[in-house]
Amino acid sequence: MPLVEEMESSGRWLFRWRSYLPLVLVVLFLAGLQYFSYPFGSHLLDIAWEMMCLAVSLAGLGVRVATVGCTPAHTSGRNTKRQVAEELNTTGMYSVVRNPLYLGNFLVGLGPAMFLRVWWIPVIFLLAFFLYYERIIFAEEMFLRRKFGELYVTWASTTPAFLPRWRQWRPSKYPFSVRKVLRREHQTLFGIVLVFYLIETITEVVMGNWPHFALDWPDLVWNIILFVALAVFISIRVLRKRTALLRDNL
C-alpha cells in the first residue's frame, strides 16, 4: 500500500479509538508517582501548582466550548466511526486554527501531565499526542480536501493546523449556543475535575495524609470543586432526560 494511503488508513483507525489516548496518561502517572513530593516541602505550594494545572485543563475546555458553541449540526462532533462534515467551518475558532478541538484536547490532557512535576511526563505526553493525532489530522484533511476541494485548500493554506494565529480571527457566522455547549461539554468538565480529584487523592495517600485529606484545609478545596462539578453534571443530565430545555429547536 502506498504511504499516503497507509497514513490515511491508519489515521481513520486511530480516529475511531482517539478517546482512549488518555490511557497513556495513566501509565505515565503510575510511573512518575514514585517521584512525587511537595515543592520545597510546602503543602500550600503543592495546592497552588495543582490549581495552575487545573487552569490549563480548563483553558482546554474553554477552547472546546468556544468551538462547539458556534458550529453547525453534523460538524465538530464526538463521532468515532467516521469523519462527518456537512460544511467547512472557516469562522470563529476555525479562522485561527484548523483543529481547535484537538488543541483543546491537548490542553485538557497537559494539565494532568504536569501534576506530578516530573519533567519527562509532559514531554512524553506531548510526543505521544502529536504522533497519535498527526495521522488522524492527515486522514481528516484528506477527507475534507476531497469533499470541499479548492475551498478547503484556500482555507488550509492560510490557517495553521495547531498553533492559533489570533490576528486573523473572524467572528463565527453562527450564534453561540449555550444549549449545545451544555449538552456536549458537561461531561468534559466533570471528567476533568474527577481525574484531578483522583490524582490528588492518590498523591495524598502517598504523602501519608489520608484520611485527613477528605476534610483538612487546604485539600478541602478539591472536595468543594468536585461537589460543584458533580452538581452541575447531575443537573444537566436531569435536564436532558426530563425536560426540553437543552434542545436546539427552542
Side-chain angles (χ1 to χ4, degrees), residues 163-194:
L163 296 178
R165 190 177 294 155
W166 296 106
R167 66 177 180 274
Q168 61 186 46
W169 168 267
R170 287 189 299 145
S172 174
K173 63 181 180 179
Y174 295 99
F176 186 83
S177 173
V178 175
R179 292 188 180 95
K180 183 183 294 184
V181 167
L182 292 178
R183 280 201 317 271
R184 290 177 50 177
E185 296 304 317
H186 70 285
Q187 299 176 69
T188 307
L189 172 62
F190 182 66
I192 289 172
V193 173
L194 182 61

Side-chain angles (χ1 to χ4, degrees), residues 43 47 50-51 54 190 193-194 196-198 200-202 204 209-232:
H43 199 176
I47 293 294
E50 292 166 2
M51 291 299 107
L54 177 62
F190 182 66
V193 173
L194 182 61
F196 272 97
Y197 188 86
L198 291 175
E200 169 66 4
T201 301
I202 293 172
E204 290 304 316
N209 289 338
W210 188 264
H212 307 291
F213 159 72
L215 296 175
D216 286 356
W217 178 261
D219 292 303
L220 184 61
V221 66
W222 279 111
N223 295 282
I224 296 172
I225 292 173
L226 180 65
F227 176 80
V228 172
L230 181 60
V232 170

